[in-house]
Amino acid sequence: MATTPLINLPDGSGTTTSLNLSTNSTNFIFSGLVDANTIDVQVDVNESGFISDPALVNLTVPTFTIPNLNAFPNGLALEKGQNTIRVRAVDLSGSVSPAATITIDVVSEVELFEIESPPTGIQLQRNSDSVLVEWSD
């Protein structure tokens, strides 16, 4: 069976199969890793269906980039609100992997600054695929 692609975390601290983030940027570039026997990476953007498109994915085993920067030098155009990108690998035998998922919530700059006063007493601990939030009054 094909191995699920790994998505690089934006800060370069590791990889995951499920990336969730919020941004005010409407263009984004993702990269990741695939198994050595991968021959294709298929992408599904906002439930449009999985496709194999060399303009959308640059595959140079063991790495891939979404989108292919030769076709989309500014990155993948995202819509305001929630965007879901699913990525799966196809191996030499034709086996298809489970999908890795990237969920991006694109917010306007106004939404980023709607908080009148910043919260206090919050501590964050970032792990490779999660964030632990602790709140004290």
Side-chain angles (χ1 to χ4, degrees), residues 31-110:
S31 63
L33 302 170
V34 291
D35 194 73
N37 65 353
T38 299
I39 60 168
D40 190 21
V41 172
Q42 299 176 335
V43 179
D44 171 20
V45 178
N46 292 330
E47 298 184 19
S48 60
F50 281 100
I51 60 169
S52 295
D53 184 349
L56 196 54
V57 179
N58 180 16
L59 175 61
T60 307
V61 175
T63 64
F64 67 91
T65 304
I66 299 172
N68 184 332
L69 297 177
N70 293 322
F72 298 96
N74 296 324
L76 183 65
L78 302 174
E79 300 174 4
K80 295 278 186 190
Q82 185 170 307
N83 293 266
T84 303
I85 296 114
R86 296 186 310 148
V87 182
R88 67 185 185 187
V90 180
D91 69 13
L92 290 167
S93 69
S95 177
V96 178
S97 76
T101 304
I102 304 164
T103 305
I104 309 150
D105 190 24
V106 177
V107 297
S108 68
E109 288 189 37
V110 172

